[in-house]
C-alpha cells in the first residue's frame, strides 16, 4: 500500500451502535455492512460479540456474507471476550480481533479497580491469545490521551512483542486538542520505535467538536488508519464522521497528499441508510451530509456554470452521490421495472423480499402520483425491518378534533397469526394509538423519543416516523414509512415494541449484562 | 481586557438566520438577542439591515432594547448598505458596523465582476464611511483563505488606515485546515504589522468539519475575537458552534489559558430556544448540546460520585445548565405560580403575554398531568410566534383510518376576525389538513419540510411540529406545540403560512431582492 494511503476503519456498527436507543437487528446490520463494503471502507468493526447472542450472530453473519473489507470484532482484554470475538469473525475472508484495556490511571483506579502491573500483564495475555486465533490483531490502550505516555508506551511495547499488527490510540473521552494529540503520538513514536513497523491508528470522539481535526492531526503525525463512523454517530457526541474525514482528504488532496479507497459517490446513500435504520436524524447544518451542506440544495439558484459555482462551493454535490436521481416510477410500473430500479439503487432484492417491496410500492403508488428514487430507498429500507417482528399492524381507526378527545382503535397480528385489538381515548391521536397498542399487547411500554420527518419535499412526500421506547429496562427503536404520518407512526411504534421485546428476551439469556461492558474506546 | 480574554461575537441572528427556511420575525429575534445577552456574548451581530425593512426593524429593535453586548449590523462595501446599517444600530449602547468585500480573485472575477484596484478603493471608501457613522468598525476580506495574502494584506492596511478597529478573517467557503489557517494569519501579521494594534477575529465555516478547530488555531495564532453561532447554524454547513468553542476553552482552560465572558450555564437554554424558533433540529450526537452529549443523559447509570464520573465525562452537564429542573406545575397552579416559574426560567412576561401564556398553560395542564420546566419553555416560546399572524387556527376535525382516505375540515380566523373554512380528502390526515388550510386561505403553498419531535420523553410529552413551506417564491417556517401532534402540525402550518405571506409582502417593498445579497462572509 502506498505510504500516503489511509486505511478507513468504520465503527458505525460497533461504537455507533452503542449509542442510546439504537437497536439494529442482524438483518439491518448486514444491510449496513453491505453498504459499507460498497462504500469501500477497508475495515468494518462489526460489533462486540460478548455483549449478547444477538451481537455474536450479527458479527458472524457479516463475516460470512460480506466480502472485501477486513471484518473486525471488539473484545476486552479477557479470555472469554477474545474467544467469542475470534469465533464470530473466524469465517471472514480477512478477520481481525480488536482488543483493548485502559492505560490511564483514572480508569485503572476507578473503572478497572486494578494496578498498572496488572494492566500490563492483561494486555500481554490478551494480545497473545488473540494472535493465537487470528493473524490480524489490533490493540487499543483505552483513554490513552489522559494516560501517562511512558506507561502507555510500555503497554504498547508488550502488545507489539506479542504480535499486534495495528496499534490504535483512542481519545476515549474526546478531551484532546489537535497539536497536543499530534505531540502525544510523536512522543509514543520516540518511546516505542517498533511502532514504525505496524499501522498506527487514531480513534477520536467529538465531545469538544474536535474529532475530525484530532484525527487529521493524527494522520499528519504518522497514523495511517482512522477510525470513523457514518454521520459521526457513537457514544456521547460520537466518533469522527466518516464523510467529513474522507471529503477533507479528498478536497485537500493536492495539499496533504493522502488518499483513501472510499467511493465518495456512495456517501449520501450510506448516510441516509444509517440515519433511517438507527432513527438518528442528521441536522440540516451537518457538514457534507446535512440538507444544507451544498449551496445548490439550499435555494441559491443552480443555473451558474461549474466555474461560477466554485465561488461558493468547494465540493460538488455529485461527488457524494447527491445528484438529482431522475428515476421515477408510477402506479402502472410493474414488478420488473421495480426490480431494475432497485438494482440501479444498489439493492439486489428477489423472491419474497421483492414481492413484499412490490406490494408496498403498489400501495404507495396508489396514493402518490410519483414514486422517486428516494421514496424507493425508504420503502425498501423499511421492508428490511419486518423480518423479526413479534407483532405487525393489521388496521387502525382514529378520530381527532379540537372539539373532543381523540379516540383510537387498533388491531395487531401476532407471530402466530392471531389478531388482537386495543382501544384508547388519549391526549392526541398518536398518543391514543400508542396506548391502544400497549392495551392490545398488554405491554407497559414507555415512549422515550418520537420524531416524524418528510422523506422528500412536496405536499405528497412520504412521512418517516421514528419511535424509541422503553420496555422492562430495555430500549427499542422502530421506524415506519407511509404517505400517512399516523400510519408511519403506528408502524414505527409496533416495530419499536417488537424490537424492545426481542431485547428483553435476549437480555434474559445474555452472558453478562450489557451495562457492564461500558465504556469502550 | 486581559490578553487571554477572547471576545465572543455571535452571528446566530445574521449568518445563522441566512440558513434556508429560517424566517424569524422581529419579536423572535429580540427574544434570541435577550438570551444571547444573558449568555454573556460580547458582540451580537443582529442582522443585515439592507436586506429588507423587516431586517432593519429587527436590528433597530435589538439596538434599542438589548443592553450589555455590542450590537453589530452587517453591510457590503456600498454606501447604501452602510447608511442602513449605521441607522439601524445608532441607538445601541455600543454600536458596531461590520463591512466586507471579497479579496479572492475567484470572487472578484466571478461574483463582483470587478478588479483588485476597484476592491481596494471600495474597501477604503466603505471603512471611511462606516467610521464617519460609528467609532467601532469591523472589516472582513471575504473568502480571504482562498485569496492572495499580499493583496489581502494591502486591503487590510487600507482598512486600518481608515480606522477599522476589528479585522475579521473569514474562511467563507470552509476550505481551510488548522495549521494552514494559523500560518495564513501569521503571514498577515508579518505583512501588516499594524494588525497588532487592533483586534484580529476569525470566522470559520464547517464545510469540512473543521470550523471549531480552525477557529481555535486562529486564537492560538493571535486572534482575540471568534465569530460563532449557537448550534453551529449558518450558511451551508454553518459556522463554528458557540457552545463547542466556549466549552473547549473552558474545559482546557488550564492548558490553553483563554477565557470568555460567557455564562456557560445559559448554553442549554440558548440552544433550545434557537432550535425551537428556527425549526432547526439538533442531532442526538451533536457535541455539547445533543441529547446524548452527556453520558448521564444516555442511560449510563447516574449513581457514581463525581470522581468516578470523570472516568467517562470531561464536562459536567450542570455546567451548561442541563441540571434536571425540579420545577413542575399542575392544573391547579395559578397565574402567580406560572409567573414565578417563568421568572425562574428567565422569561419576564407580563400583561397580555402573561394572559396568553396562562391560557395555553391551562389548556395543556388539563390534558397533561405535570407541566415541566421544559414544557413551559416550549409554551412560552410558542406564544412569541403569535404576534404577526395573518391567520390563526379556530378549529379542525380529522378522521384517519387504514380503511378509507382521511378527511379533514379546518376553520381559520383572519386578522379581521372573520372565520374561513376549508376541507380536503388527502393521502394522510396531516396532508388533508394542510390542503384544507390552502383551500381556506386560497393560497397555493407547497410543503418543503415537515418534522415533529417530542419536547420531553414520556407518553404524555408535548409534540413540537416544524413546517417549512414555499409561497410565491418566499419560504416561511412555523412551529407549533401541543399534546396533540395533529394540532401541533396544524398550528405550525398556519404560522408558516402567515410568515411566508409576510415575506411575500416584504419582498414586494424590499430595496433589492434578497437573492442578490448572497453570499456573505
Amino acid at each position: 500500500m502506498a505510504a500516503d494511503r489511509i486505511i478507513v476503519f468504520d465503527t458505525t456498527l460497533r461504537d455507533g451502535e452503542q449509542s442510546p436507543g439504537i437497536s439494529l437487528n442482524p438483518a439491518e446490520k448486514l444491510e449496513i455492512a453491505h453498504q459499507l463494503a460498497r462504500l469501500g471502507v477497508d475495515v468494518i468493526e462489526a460489533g462486540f460479540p460478548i455483549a449478547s447472542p444477538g451481537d455474536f450472530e450479527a458479527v458472524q453473519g457479516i463475516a460470512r456474507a460480506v466480502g472485501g473489507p477486513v471484518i473486525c470484532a471488539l473484545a476486552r482484554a479477557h479470555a472469554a471476550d477474545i474467544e467469542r470475538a475470534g469465533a464470530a469473525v473466524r469465517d471472514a475472508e480477512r478477520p481481525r480481533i480488536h482488543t483493548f484495556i485502559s492505560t490511564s490511571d483514572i480508569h485503572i483506579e476507578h473503572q478497572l479497580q486494578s494496578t498498572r502491573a496488572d494492566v500490563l500483564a492483561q494486555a500481554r495475555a490478551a494480545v497473545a491469545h488473540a494472535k493465537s486465533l487470528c493473524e490480524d490483531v489490533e490493540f487499543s490502550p483505552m483513554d490513552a490521551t489522559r494516560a501517562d505516555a511512558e506507561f502507555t508506551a510500555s503497554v504498547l511495547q508488550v502488545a507489539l512483542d506479542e504480535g499486534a499488527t495495528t496499534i490504535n490510540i483512542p481519545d476515549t473521552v474526546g478531551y484532546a486538542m489537535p497539536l497536543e494529540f499530534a505531540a502525544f503520538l510523536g512522543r509514543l513514536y520516540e518511546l516505542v520505535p517498533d511502532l514504525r513497523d505496524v499501522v498506527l491508528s487514531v480513534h477520536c470522539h467529538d465531545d469538544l467538536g474536535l474529532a475530525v481535526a484530532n484525527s487529521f492531526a493524527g494522520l499528519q503525525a504518522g497514523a495511517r488508519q482512522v477510525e470513523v463512523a457514518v454521520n459521526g454517530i457513537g457514544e456521547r457526541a460520537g466518533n469522527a464522521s466518516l464523510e467529513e474525514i474522507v471529503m477533507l482528504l479528498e478536497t485537500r488532496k493536492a495539499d496533504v497528499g493522502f488518499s483513501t479507497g472510499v467511493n465518495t459517490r456512495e456517501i449520501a446513500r450510506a448516510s441516509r441508510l444509517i440515519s433511517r435504520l438507527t432513527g438518528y436524524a442528521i441536522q440540516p447544518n451537518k457538514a457534507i451530509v446535512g440538507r444544507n451542506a451544498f449551496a445548490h440544495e439550499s435555494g441559491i439558484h443552480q443555473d451558474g456554470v461549474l466555474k461560477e459555482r466554485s465561488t461558493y462551493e468547494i465540493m460538488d454535490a455529485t461527488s457524494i452521490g447527491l445528484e438529482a436521481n431522475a428515476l421515477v416510477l408510477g402506479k402502472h410500473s410493474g414488478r420488473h421495472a421495480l426490480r431494475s430500479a432497485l438494482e440501479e439503487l444498489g439493492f439486489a432484492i428477489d423472491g419474497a423480499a421483492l414481492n413484499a417491496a412490490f406490494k408496498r410500492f403498489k400501495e404507495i403508488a396508489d396514493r402518490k402520483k410519483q414514486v422517486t428514487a428516494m421514496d424507493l430507498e425508504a420503502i425498501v429500507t423499511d421492508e428490511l425491518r419486518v423480518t423479526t417482528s413479534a407483532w405487525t399492524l393489521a388496521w387502525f381507526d382514529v378520530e381527532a378534533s379540537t372539539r373532543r378527545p381523540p379516540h383510537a382503535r387498533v388491531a395487531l397480528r401476532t407471530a402466530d397469526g392471531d389478531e388482537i385489538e386495543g382501544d384508547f381515548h388519549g391526549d392526541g391521536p398518536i398518543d391514543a394509538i400508542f396506548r391502544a397498542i400497549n392495551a392490545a399487547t398488554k405491554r407497559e411500554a414507555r415512549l422515550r423519543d418520537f420524531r416524524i420527518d418528510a422523506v422528500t419535499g412536496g405536499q405528497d412526500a412520504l412521512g418517516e416516523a421514528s419511535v424509541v421506547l422503553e420496555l422492562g429496562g430495555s430500549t427499542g427503536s422502530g421506524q415506519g414509512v407511509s404517505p400517512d404520518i399516523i400510519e408511519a407512526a403506528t408502524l414505527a411504534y409496533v416495530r419499536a415494541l417488537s424490537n424492545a421485546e426481542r431485547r428483553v428476551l435476549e437480555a434474559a439469556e445474555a452472558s453478562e449484562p450489557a451495562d457492564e461492558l461500558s465504556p469502550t474506546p
Side-chain angles (χ1 to χ4, degrees), chain A:
Chain A
M1 210 173 261
D4 56 359
R5 171 67 158 75
I6 302 301
I7 298 168
V8 175
F9 176 112
D10 182 276
T11 187
T12 306
L13 289 171
R14 202 279 299 164
D15 205 328
E17 215 261 343
Q18 283 175 234
S19 308
I22 296 184
S23 58
L24 298 168
N25 67 39
E28 292 159 356
K29 289 182 183 174
L30 186 60
E31 185 61 28
I32 290 174
H34 278 303
Q35 177 60 25
L36 292 171
R38 271 193 292 270
L39 183 59
V41 306
D42 299 290
V43 186
I44 294 175
E45 188 165 52
F48 196 2
I50 196 78
S52 77
D55 277 42
F56 178 87
E57 185 197 331
V59 175
Q60 189 172 57
I62 290 167
R64 288 177 175 169
V66 179
V70 170
I71 306 299
C72 174
L74 185 70
R76 288 167 304 185
H78 299 169
D81 281 49
I82 293 164
E83 288 288 342
R84 281 299 263 178
V89 295
R90 188 179 297 135
D91 299 332
E93 276 173 24
R94 293 185 291 151
R96 176 182 293 185
I97 297 174
H98 175 196
T99 186
F100 69 94
I101 191 164
S102 290
T103 58
S104 74
D105 290 330
I106 193 168
H107 274 207
I108 293 172
E109 186 180 337
H110 294 291
Q111 188 226 334
L112 300 174
Q113 302 181 330
S114 182
T115 62
R116 287 188 174 191
D118 193 47
V119 163
L120 202 66
Q122 278 192 64
R124 182 184 297 280
V127 174
H129 188 178
K131 193 75 181 180
S132 73
L133 300 173
C134 182
E135 187 45 42
D136 186 349
V137 174
E138 172 167 331
F139 174 76
S140 294
M142 182 151 94
D143 203 23
T145 49
R146 292 194 301 173
D148 178 55
E150 277 72 16
F151 175 63
T152 301
S154 63
V155 176
L156 296 187
Q157 187 61 59
V158 158
L160 291 172
D161 293 344
E162 298 301 330
T165 43
T166 297
I167 295 290
N168 175 54
I169 306 300
D171 181 30
T172 302
V173 294
Y175 185 68
M177 301 181 289
L179 296 175
E180 179 190 58
F181 190 55
F184 184 69
L185 297 185
R187 180 84 181 113
L188 293 178
Y189 271 128
E190 272 171 33
L191 292 167
V192 191
D194 291 352
L195 262 186
R196 304 244 166 234
D197 303 330
V198 300
V199 174
L200 185 68
S201 168
V202 290
H203 176 111
C204 298
H205 279 275
D206 203 38
D207 297 73
L208 296 174
L210 292 174
V212 168
N214 285 333
S215 302
F216 183 54
L219 298 180
Q220 292 185 306
R224 285 297 173 268
Q225 175 176 293
V226 59
E227 303 201 358
V228 292
V230 176
N231 299 340
I233 62 174
E235 296 204 74
R236 302 182 315 282
N239 292 274
S241 109
L242 179 143
E243 60 277 12
E244 293 175 15
I245 285 283
V246 167
M247 291 309 293
L248 166 61
L249 300 187
E250 180 68 21
T251 306
R252 302 306 310 267
K253 191 158 49 181
D255 302 284
V256 299
F258 294 134
S259 69
T260 73
V262 169
N263 173 7
T264 61
R265 297 176 67 96
E266 290 290 336
I267 285 177
R269 186 188 306 164
S271 169
R272 289 194 299 266
L273 177 72
I274 283 146
S275 174
R276 204 158 262 155
L277 291 179
T278 59
Y280 267 45
I282 298 166
Q283 64 199 18
N285 51 318
K286 167 76 175 66
I288 315 293
V289 296
R291 189 178 71 217
N292 298 346
F294 290 88
H296 92 280
E297 291 278 298
S298 53
I300 296 175
H301 43 291
Q302 300 175 35
D303 49 16
V305 292
L306 196 65
K307 197 166 180 202
E308 280 176 31
R309 184 180 290 163
S310 70
T311 55
Y312 50 86
E313 269 191 18
I314 57 172
M315 292 168 282
D316 184 348
T318 60
S319 68
I320 67 156
L322 264 187
E323 63 273 35
N325 202 315
L327 189 149
V328 172
L329 299 180
K331 63 196 271 189
H332 301 299
S333 304
R335 193 178 305 249
H336 185 72
L338 176 67
R339 192 179 162 178
S340 315
L342 291 175
E343 270 170 17
E344 203 173 307
L345 290 170
F347 293 104
I349 283 191
D350 238 321
L354 178 63
N355 288 343
F358 188 67
K359 187 159 165 279
R360 283 294 308 285
F361 162 71
K362 278 302 205 184
E363 284 166 18
I364 284 165
D366 275 347
R367 294 152 82 179
K368 199 171 177 308
K369 279 186 292 288
Q370 295 190 319
V371 179
T372 66
M374 294 279 277
D375 292 335
L376 276 185
E377 209 179 83
I379 296 167
V380 176
T381 312
D382 199 39
E383 280 306 310
L384 292 173
R385 303 225 134 227
V386 182
T387 50
T388 58
S389 290
W391 300 285
T392 52
L393 177 65
W395 53 261
F396 68 82
D397 282 323
V398 64
E399 287 162 33
S401 169
T402 42
R403 302 187 282 195
R404 56 189 178 275
H407 177 222
R409 288 198 307 143
V410 63
L412 306 181
R413 257 184 298 275
T414 66
D416 304 329
D418 297 333
E419 197 165 293
I420 52 177
E421 284 190 38
D423 87 303
F424 204 87
H425 287 269
D427 287 332
I430 299 277
D431 177 56
I433 286 196
F434 289 176
R435 289 177 192 240
I437 294 170
N438 281 359
T441 57
K442 300 189 173 60
R443 294 293 183 282
E444 294 285 327
R446 297 196 46 214
L447 190 64
R448 286 228 346 227
D449 195 27
F450 173 55
R451 221 185 59 246
I452 296 181
D453 293 284
V455 173
T456 44
Q459 201 81 34
D460 69 347
L462 290 180
E464 193 164 16
S466 292
V467 163
V468 180
L469 52 74
E470 217 176 282
L471 178 70
S474 289
T475 59
S477 71
Q479 283 73 42
V481 175
S482 167
D484 170 354
I485 67 155
I486 296 198
E487 185 173 317
T490 307
L491 289 168
Y493 193 88
V494 172
R495 287 169 191 172
L497 193 62
S498 293
N499 283 330
E501 179 84 358
R502 175 173 57 79
R503 287 225 155 180
V504 169
L505 298 176
E506 265 184 27
E509 51 176 289
S511 42
E512 61 187 293
D515 268 8
E516 307 232 328
L517 295 171
S518 291
T520 46

